[in-house]
Amino acid sequence: MSFLEEIQKRRTFGIISHPDAGKTTLTEKLLLFGGAIQEAGAVKSNKIKKGATSDFMEIERQRGISVATSVLAFNYRDRKINILDTPGHKDFAEDTFRTLTAVDSVIVVIDVAKGVEEQTEKLVQVCRMRNIPMIVFINKLDREGKDAFDLLDEVEQKLGLRVTPLSFPIGMGYDFKGIYNIWEKKINVFSGDNKQTISEGVEFDDVNNPELDNLVGKDSANTLREELELVYEVYPKFNKDEYEEGQLQPVFFGSALNNFGVKELLDCFIDIAPNPQPKMSDSRLVDSKEEKLTGFVFKIHANMDPKHRDRLAFVKIVSGTFKRNTPYLHVRNNKKVKFSSPNAFFAEKKEIVEESFAGDIVGLHDTGNFKIGDTLTEGEKLNFKGIPSFSPEHFRYVNNADPLKAKQLYKGLDQLMDEGVAQLFTLDMNGRKIIGTVGALQYEVIQYRLEHEYGAKCTYENIAVHKACWVQPEDEKNEEFKEFKRVKQRYLAKDKQGQLVFLADSPFTIQMTQSKYPSVKLHLTSEFE
């Protein structure tokens, strides 16, 4: 198979939603259709003892949430599909933002009863900023929820999307009868008795066929006919170009837990979702069809396997072919590196691969050379844009609770911060360490992982910081900057990259500082022009 055919086969996408909308369950069902797993383990259900394939950290199992982004790949109808399952919990938002730099399209999962929730709004905003193509999946139709048209309105208004339904529910909750697939013009009748394997639908070309009355009952059939007329009148016709430009979002209805409407989503997704897309670097636009390899690290995960101390750097291949045992340039370090065991993923299983192509995600064993945002190339010096650190929302001093384990603590902190779990700031004045996180739950995760993976214990102490601002002086030698450093000395720290950071205790302080020292710019992200 030629290099270009390999790239055409690939679809790399992320699934985003509010916690509990059923994202992990949907991921599982997609794997089920790809023949990648034989039975799906619902994440929360106690009846099914098998934990979800994509949640593998103990904390995730205890709380029924996804904490780490996991990569799952499978083949379906001769396409190679890569799913990046992201944490829905808002405390892990930063991980999700970074993951969105590595996907070519997105599926947004919405809970039929709760509608659009705050976390979904934030993530969709990021997708819209980058014009990522989106498909919306409205989940849990076997429960009582909002009216289909109300939900479509809500999606349009709250998320600012332009939608067109490609499937439509027949009833909902107790009278949920099935789904009419507008995309393929057929009906799937819901029986609700099969949650873990795949059931077949009934094909129907024409909704006016009287046979429909026998299948779902006369009232439901008439309601469906009326609703479909309305759908065709009100919503725009599906247009692939508009979808790919992020201007139109198709909507599917279903129930992931009952395996219903998932196949329709997958079949349509495969037909319309984009191939690997070009990506902007600091020097030029890199096209996925180029022969030479380029790729970037969007995530680092330490200790994926508790038995071995390993770190895995997740690399999204932007162009070319990644080959095993071939030297590539690590741009930031300006060193050639080669990898004897690059991994491809399948949830918890990893396999060593000989070659991977643009669009794929490769896991590289790392002894501490990689940071998030690093680029690998065949020799060209370029860096991919758009993987910044955001200012954290929460700040705490971190103290060592076991003096004999200081070395383990610093090593653990060092590695966890490289993963981007949180950010570490070291005060200039006394060298005390401060951890900044996007969400408070991260502190628990850090404490848990330090103890279980590094054998170190830490305690936290509150500190009054509102935001971390990255400092950019016009001229390091001018008096104003020296004055700024002298006056603000107690609030200055260095981040992990050694950049100067000002820890401001309130929005007012930031404002005052900016007006008092106009030549010193303060930024809320670490990447600035």
Side-chain angles (χ1 to χ4, degrees):
M1 197 183 267
S2 78
F3 166 68
L4 287 177
E5 282 170 12
E6 284 285 0
I7 293 178
Q8 299 295 317
K9 275 175 58 173
R10 278 158 175 71
R11 302 279 184 276
T12 304
F13 70 100
I15 300 186
I16 60 176
S17 79
H18 200 82
D20 252 16
K23 184 169 36 115
T24 309
T25 312
L26 177 64
T27 310
E28 291 264 307
K29 295 304 155 93
L30 292 172
L31 292 177
L32 189 66
F33 283 106
I37 49 180
Q38 267 54 61
E39 79 171 313
V43 186
K44 287 265 169 84
S45 158
N46 304 325
K47 296 195 249 346
I48 309 171
K49 281 288 174 273
K50 195 174 157 300
T53 315
S54 58
D55 289 359
F56 51 77
M57 224 159 82
E58 195 49 39
I59 262 190
E60 308 187 49
R61 292 215 173 99
Q62 289 165 6
R63 297 198 166 211
I65 56 175
S66 306
V67 173
T69 310
S70 52
V71 182
L72 307 132
F74 63 94
N75 292 316
Y76 181 72
R77 286 187 13 203
D78 68 278
R79 296 281 199 286
K80 164 103 190 299
I81 303 193
N82 298 309
I83 307 181
L84 286 106
D85 178 26
T86 59
H89 204 287
K90 72 168 184 295
D91 290 7
F92 304 95
E94 202 172 332
D95 204 17
T96 307
F97 290 140
R98 281 196 297 260
T99 303
L100 289 176
T101 59
V103 300
D104 299 310
S105 65
V106 159
I107 293 181
V108 183
V109 184
I110 290 173
D111 181 323
V112 69
K114 297 184 183 141
V116 175
E117 296 173 88
E118 162 209 27
Q119 192 51 23
T120 320
E121 287 182 52
K122 277 192 189 147
L123 295 169
V124 167
Q125 210 175 342
V126 175
C127 297
R128 281 179 48 212
M129 245 160 52
R130 301 203 167 115
N131 292 325
I132 300 176
M134 287 179 262
I135 294 181
V136 179
F137 182 70
I138 294 181
N139 191 15
K140 304 193 181 179
L141 281 195
D142 51 316
R143 301 186 181 178
E144 297 299 317
K146 303 184 181 184
D147 173 72
F149 288 107
D150 291 349
L151 274 166
L152 292 168
D153 285 349
E154 194 176 318
V155 169
E156 290 203 307
Q157 285 157 9
K158 279 197 175 170
L159 299 178
L161 303 181
R162 212 175 125 236
V163 299
T164 176
L166 291 187
S167 76
F168 209 79
I170 309 170
M172 181 176 297
Y174 293 118
D175 6 311
F176 178 52
K177 300 285 195 306
I179 286 172
Y180 180 68
N181 182 348
I182 299 173
W183 174 252
E184 294 174 13
K185 301 234 178 313
K186 64 183 197 194
I187 276 184
N188 271 21
V189 181
F190 177 64
S191 61
D193 53 8
N194 206 340
K195 296 194 174 186
Q196 288 170 283
T197 52
I198 298 166
S199 45
E200 287 304 307
V202 183
E203 306 228 351
F204 245 93
D205 305 342
D206 179 18
V207 281
N208 293 319
N209 185 333
E211 187 54 18
L212 179 63
D213 300 3
N214 304 337
L215 265 180
V216 296
K218 199 164 182 178
D219 294 352
S220 298
N222 286 332
T223 312
L224 175 68
R225 292 175 186 128
E226 285 163 24
E227 291 186 326
L228 285 177
E229 260 175 49
L230 196 60
V231 167
Y232 296 138
E233 272 170 39
V234 173
Y235 293 100
K237 262 192 129 49
F238 176 73
N239 172 321
K240 189 166 184 286
D241 295 339
E242 288 184 277
Y243 156 73
E244 288 198 349
E245 286 157 14
Q247 306 302 321
L248 181 68
Q249 286 77 26
V251 180
F252 284 87
F253 289 85
S255 157
L257 184 66
N258 293 303
N259 235 335
F260 203 78
V262 178
K263 184 172 188 298
E264 289 69 16
L265 171 73
L266 188 56
D267 286 340
C268 172
F269 174 81
I270 272 188
D271 292 339
I272 66 174
N275 298 331
Q277 296 293 296
K279 191 164 175 66
M280 195 65 202
S281 73
D282 52 5
S283 52
R284 63 187 186 86
L285 186 69
V286 178
D287 193 324
S288 60
K289 298 179 191 64
E290 292 177 21
E291 297 275 317
K292 294 206 155 161
L293 173 99
T294 61
F296 65 94
V297 177
F298 66 93
K299 172 182 169 61
I300 290 172
H301 196 139
N303 312 319
M304 296 232 350
D305 177 351
K307 294 197 245 350
H308 304 282
R309 271 304 152 85
D310 62 342
R311 280 171 53 154
L312 219 50
F314 290 76
V315 175
K316 159 81 188 266
I317 302 173
V318 178
S319 67
T321 313
F322 182 95
K323 296 191 172 76
R324 191 177 150 195
N325 284 327
T326 306
Y328 294 114
L329 178 69
H330 181 322
V331 177
R332 183 174 53 84
N333 286 352
N334 199 8
K335 269 204 195 103
K336 286 275 176 122
V337 278
K338 63 181 189 179
F339 303 93
S340 57
S341 54
N343 284 309
F345 296 95
F346 176 78
E348 275 182 334
K349 303 191 211 30
K350 300 183 300 212
E351 291 159 16
I352 290 177
V353 281
E354 290 301 326
E355 52 179 15
S356 303
F357 300 89
D360 282 338
I361 309 288
V362 195
L364 303 177
H365 286 281
D366 171 35
T367 50
N369 298 321
F370 284 119
K371 290 182 175 157
I372 285 171
D374 280 352
T375 307
L376 283 176
T377 67
E378 287 194 23
E380 187 180 351
K381 299 215 162 156
L382 55 81
N383 287 293
F384 288 105
K385 281 261 168 272
I387 315 179
S389 299
F390 298 85
S391 168
E393 305 286 317
H394 302 265
F395 297 84
R396 294 185 192 169
Y397 283 122
V398 56
N399 299 322
N400 182 5
D402 180 353
L404 299 174
K405 294 280 175 76
K407 203 169 128 198
Q408 285 88 325
L409 178 73
Y410 291 121
K411 181 181 169 188
L413 282 176
D414 201 48
Q415 294 203 351
L416 292 179
M417 300 304 136
D418 276 349
E419 266 185 58
V421 173
Q423 294 173 55
L424 191 66
F425 302 103
T426 307
L427 281 179
D428 281 1
M429 208 173 68
N430 55 13
R432 280 196 78 177
K433 305 244 182 270
I434 293 170
I435 291 182
T437 68
V438 175
L441 185 58
Q442 287 285 31
Y443 289 109
E444 258 184 70
V445 172
I446 293 168
Q447 223 163 6
Y448 180 90
R449 292 187 58 188
L450 280 172
E451 188 170 338
H452 289 81
E453 293 170 20
Y454 299 94
K457 286 194 170 73
C458 72
T459 57
Y460 298 117
E461 197 181 315
N462 286 337
I463 172 177
V465 176
H466 160 69
K467 282 273 191 261
C469 309
W470 279 268
V471 179
Q472 183 190 21
E474 249 169 51
D475 173 13
E476 302 223 345
K477 299 200 170 49
N478 73 9
E479 286 307 311
E480 192 174 299
F481 182 53
K482 287 180 185 163
E483 168 75 359
F484 163 81
K485 287 210 312 200
R486 196 176 57 77
V487 173
K488 299 290 181 191
Q489 160 192 1
R490 291 178 45 208
Y491 308 104
L492 293 180
K494 296 274 192 310
D495 72 2
K496 194 135 192 302
Q497 272 62 42
Q499 281 173 278
L500 186 65
V501 178
F502 170 53
L503 302 173
D505 58 4
S506 68
F508 177 68
T509 307
I510 298 178
Q511 231 175 325
M512 287 300 290
T513 309
Q514 279 290 223
S515 56
K516 195 170 169 195
Y517 307 105
S519 76
V520 181
K521 297 261 178 301
L522 302 176
H523 301 272
L524 289 177
T525 60
S526 65
E527 219 174 66
F528 35 82
E529 296 310 312

